[in-house]
């Protein structure tokens, strides 16, 4: 969307990033003044040479003027070089901080935001758009300012020497300015569109690369290449159009006519004045020289203009991100702005500050549930109780989009309890977890911790108490050790080793090529599924959470691995408050309470024994999975639970490691 005054908005936000570089910018401004002065001085020197030194045949003066002319040239070149170096330095540093701030701000967004923005597009925002802005900061904007300064200087100098010519020049400057401004409004939309297609292309490339094995399986590589090529073509066509318009306007149209007209006018008026004795030859030459300099920058604008408009469009897109409110900003009950919607601009300062809290620890989502650097929080939020007594869903309603997913869902999890959630695919089990971790907030109703609305707490502080093992396994590029620590600094290696031993993962990790220092590929691609799952359990245990949430993976592993994983899971849950989403009912047979969800509603709840003791969806499910439906089921469940807890005692010898060739 086109912003009302992108230049001003961009300048305002940019100024917060530029503030630490005032010295460098002042230096650049100084060199700019110097260059402009030199540009203006050279025609004046020329006039002195023609009007004074040559008629008087004064060789000494001619030499001095000649030296001054050459010296001015050299000084100008030096000043230009200095300006370029200074600005490049500023731009590099500003872009680096800007990238940090934008990335931090992105991570702080509500998960809804990510539902609607594919990774490729976001990468394009952080990378390409900010790189486009570099040209704006280091080149185009400076060039524009230098040219404007020079045009103003020439106009003033001409006016001073010959008011009639000066007035004409002023007319040309104003007319040109208006024409350029009108044109800029028109062309900016086009550049915005070019940037938009850039990001679409990045999105496609990302998706195809991520799904490369699938592409290969279906033999669709050529189609993927063609789709990316088509996106490239449409973008290039658009860009070519922009460049063409610029060329027509700046080379062929406006500047061309103005230059010819200007030259004719100066020659006609100037020679008349020389004949009448009111103007010296030197002054006429000076005017012609000034005029040449006047149109040079105007023509240069064509090149600057592309960079400028493209950079401005990129700036609009990047700074548009700062208009997004970070997660929880509009829902914090205590913050007092509940119910507000739409873009509350985040002060750029806040965004800049976010960039300073951006080390890798943000990359801890799956095992830690810890996201984002700039999550709204801090002031006005209730401290999370050090040990909660009860978590309660109270008539929670929720929809991702228009379709409701949860309907008036109410249940409670008391400290120390183990709660199982079962239900058909799509019944809303994972959604409950999303709400519990405040990845999303309920549409109606509330989740309460000891009677206090979850939205009143700092989401980051709350998530620190929780460990999450997700349905989708996620490991980050880095070593096994780093992953097990979820990149959190300050965790001792010993704690990780103890956790790995406790869950029987130590032996398999030590068998990896570099043990705990083995570098994992993206998403843990160089491990088997069972191994990845086990690492996720260890990662959760390292957090020593108050609340453990397990979203059981449906993916099939062999029977031996499954047994090992079950054991590890049992040990992980021992003595903790746990919410387990289960697909295999054996996982929840021992739970204190089992909730059965049906299309977002609580269909029934109770212990395994209670639920199999009466007809209902759970009993049907249990029968389908071949579970014992007899009255002894409950007792068996409890016995099994006791046995499992005994097995999970820390004194227990570590279980055998996963079989190396576990199912992939
Ligand atoms: N990010 C999302 N955006 C929009 N709709 C979603 C999103 N995530 C889930 N849904 C929808 O919400 C409903 C509940 O999904 P949920 O993931 O909670 O199911 P589930 O019970 O965990 O299923 P499964 O057993 O397959 O994991 C589904 O209809 C799903 O299509
Ligand atoms: Mg799910």
């Amino acid at each position: 969307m086109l912003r009302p005054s992108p230049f001003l908005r961009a300048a305002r936000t940019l100024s917060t990033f530029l503030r630490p570089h005032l010295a460098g910018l002042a230096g650049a401004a100084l060199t700019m003044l110097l260059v402009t002065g030199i540009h203006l001085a050279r025609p004046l020197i020329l006039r002195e040479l023609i009007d004074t030194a040559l008629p008087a045949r004064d060789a000494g003066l001619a030499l001095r003027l000649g030296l001054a002319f050459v010296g001015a040239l050299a000084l100008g070149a030096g000043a230009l070089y200095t300006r370029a170096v200074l600005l490049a330095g500023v731009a590099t540093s500003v872009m680096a901080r800007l990238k940090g701030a934008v990335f931090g701000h992105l991570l702080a967004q509500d998960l809804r935001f990510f539902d609607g923005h594919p990774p490729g597009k976001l990468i394009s925002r952080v990378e390409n758009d900010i790189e486009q802005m570099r040209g704006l900061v280091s080149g185009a904007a400076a060039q524009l300012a230098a040219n404007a300064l020079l045009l103003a200087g020439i106009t003033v100098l001409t006016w001073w020497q010959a008011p009639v010519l000066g007035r004409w020049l002023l007319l040309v400057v104003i007319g040109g300015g208006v024409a350029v401004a009108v044109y800029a409004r028109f062309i900016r939309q086009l550049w915005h569109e070019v940037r938009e297609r850039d990001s679409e292309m990045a999105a496609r490339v990302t998706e195809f690369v991520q799904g490369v094995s699938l592409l290969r399986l279906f033999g669709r590589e050529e189609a993927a290449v063609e789709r990316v090529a088509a996106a490239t073509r449409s973008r290039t066509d658009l860009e070519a159009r922009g460049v063409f318009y610029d060329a027509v306007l700046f080379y062929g149209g406006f500047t061309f006519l103005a230059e010819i007209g200007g030259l004719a006018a100066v020659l006609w008026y100037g020679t008349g004045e020389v004949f009448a004795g009111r103007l010296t030859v030197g002054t006429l030459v000076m005017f012609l020289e000034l005029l040449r300099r006047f149109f040079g920058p105007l023509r240069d604008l064509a090149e600057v203009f592309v960079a400028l408009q493209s950079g401005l469009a990129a700036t609009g897109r990047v700074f548009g991100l700062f208009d997004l409110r970070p997660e929880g900003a509009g829902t914090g009950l205590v913050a007092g702005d509940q119910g507000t919607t739409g873009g509350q601009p985040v002060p750029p300062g806040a965004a800049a500050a976010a960039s300073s809290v951006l080390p890798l620890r943000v990359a801890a989502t799956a095992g830690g549930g810890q996201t984002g650097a700039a999550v709204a929080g801090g002031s006005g939020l209730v401290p999370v109780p050090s040990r909660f007594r009860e978590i309660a869903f109270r008539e929670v309603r929720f929809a991702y989009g228009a379709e409701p997913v949860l309907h008036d869902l109410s249940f409670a999890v008391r400290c120390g309890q183990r709660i199982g959630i079962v239900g058909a695919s799509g019944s809303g089990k994972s959604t409950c977890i999303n709400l519990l971790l405040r990845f999303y907030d309920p549409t109606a109703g509330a989740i309460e911790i000891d009677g206090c609305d979850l939205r009143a707490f700092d989401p980051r502080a709350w998530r620190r108490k929780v460990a999450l093992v997700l349905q989708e396994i996620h490991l980050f590029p880095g070593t096994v050790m780093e992953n097990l620590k979820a990149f959190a600094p300050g965790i001792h290696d010993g704690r990780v080793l103890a956790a790995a031993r406790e869950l029987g993962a130590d032996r398999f990790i030590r068998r990896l090529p570099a043990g705990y220092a083995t570098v994992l590929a993206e998403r843990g691609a160089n491990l088997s599924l069972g191994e990845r799952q086990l690492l996720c359990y260890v990662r959760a245990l390292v957090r020593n959470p108050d609340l453990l949430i397990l979203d059981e993976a449906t993916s099939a592993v062999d029977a031996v691995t499954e047994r090992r994983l079950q054991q590890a899971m049992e040990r992980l849950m021992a003595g903790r408050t746990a919410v387990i989403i289960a697909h295999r009912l054996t996982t929840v047979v021992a739970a204190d309470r089992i909730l059965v969800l049906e299309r977002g509603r609580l269909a029934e709840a109770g212990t395994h024994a209670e639920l199999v003791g009466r007809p209902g969806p759970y009993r049907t499910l249990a029968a389908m999975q071949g579970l014992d439906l007899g009255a002894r089921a409950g007792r068996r469940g409890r016995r099994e639970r006791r046995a499992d807890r005994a097995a999970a005692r820390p004194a227990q010898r570590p279980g055998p490691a996963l079989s190396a060739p576990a199912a992939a």
Side-chain angles (χ1 to χ4, degrees), residues 469 503 537 540-541 548 550 568-574 576:
V469 179
L503 298 195
Y537 288 160
L541 185 63
L548 181 71
L550 295 172
M569 200 205 276
E570 274 302 328
R571 289 180 201 174
L572 178 60
M573 286 188 296
R576 288 179 209 283

Side-chain angles (χ1 to χ4, degrees), residues 95-290:
M95 292 313 131
R97 282 193 305 130
L98 194 58
K99 269 182 203 173
V102 168
F103 183 53
H105 197 71
L106 279 183
L107 284 192
Q109 292 309 308
D110 204 274
L111 284 204
R112 259 177 229 279
F113 171 81
F114 295 97
D115 288 342
H117 291 78
K121 279 197 172 189
L122 296 179
I123 293 169
S124 173
R125 289 265 177 114
V126 177
E127 260 311 306
N128 304 353
D129 283 347
I130 293 181
E131 280 309 314
Q132 279 294 325
M133 288 177 66
R134 180 196 298 276
L136 183 70
V137 172
S138 67
Q143 183 97 20
L144 190 73
N147 287 351
L149 199 65
L150 185 59
L151 290 184
I154 290 172
T155 310
V156 168
L157 188 64
T158 310
W159 194 303
W160 175 40
Q161 294 293 322
V164 179
L165 283 183
R167 275 199 287 276
W168 287 352
L169 267 195
L170 191 65
L171 261 178
V172 174
V173 169
I174 291 174
V178 170
V180 168
V182 169
Y183 173 66
R185 280 189 78 83
F186 155 75
I187 202 76
R188 198 174 300 129
Q189 186 62 53
L190 186 140
W191 286 112
H192 186 83
E193 189 66 23
V194 170
R195 301 248 57 83
E196 190 56 42
R197 293 198 188 172
D198 263 350
S199 77
E200 243 149 57
M201 204 166 69
R204 277 189 196 179
V205 170
T206 314
E207 273 149 34
F208 287 140
V209 169
Q210 277 173 350
V212 67
S213 44
L214 218 58
L215 279 182
R216 213 157 277 177
L217 176 68
F218 289 109
R220 302 296 294 157
E221 294 101 320
E222 285 83 10
V225 169
E226 179 42 43
R227 285 191 64 175
V228 170
T232 314
R233 274 197 300 276
S234 92
R235 176 218 183 276
T236 314
D237 290 349
L238 208 58
E239 185 173 21
R241 228 164 69 202
V243 174
F244 172 74
Y245 290 149
D246 280 355
V248 166
L249 182 75
F250 291 105
Y251 292 111
F254 164 71
T255 43
F256 184 64
L257 286 179
E259 189 165 4
I260 293 182
L263 212 66
V266 169
L267 279 174
W268 174 74
Y269 172 83
T271 42
E273 292 290 286
V274 171
F275 289 155
R278 284 190 293 270
L279 206 67
T280 63
V281 175
T283 311
L284 179 61
V285 170
M286 181 189 79
F287 281 141
L288 289 173
E289 183 67 9
L290 281 178

Side-chain angles (χ1 to χ4, degrees), residues 465-489:
K465 300 195 154 294
V466 184
L468 174 67
V469 179
L470 281 175
Q471 216 170 4
E472 261 174 73
I473 296 167
H474 209 121
L475 295 162
F476 292 93
T479 65
V480 170
M481 185 56 96
E482 283 168 336
N483 267 282
L484 294 181
K485 290 179 182 177
F487 295 90

Side-chain angles (χ1 to χ4, degrees), residues 72-90:
L73 269 178
L75 196 63
L80 274 179
Y81 171 77
T82 312
R83 189 186 81 186
V85 169
L86 284 175
L87 285 179
V90 171

Side-chain angles (χ1 to χ4, degrees), residues 381-391 415 448-454 456-458 461-466 546-547:
L381 293 171
V382 176
V384 181
S386 61
R387 250 192 116 65
F388 63 86
R389 290 187 306 277
E390 187 189 69
I391 304 166
C415 182
E448 294 176 357
I449 308 291
D450 293 347
C452 187
D453 195 306
L454 190 57
F457 301 109
D458 176 356
W462 166 238
R463 288 178 200 139
R464 269 198 291 274
K465 300 195 154 294
V466 184
D546 290 350
L547 173 66

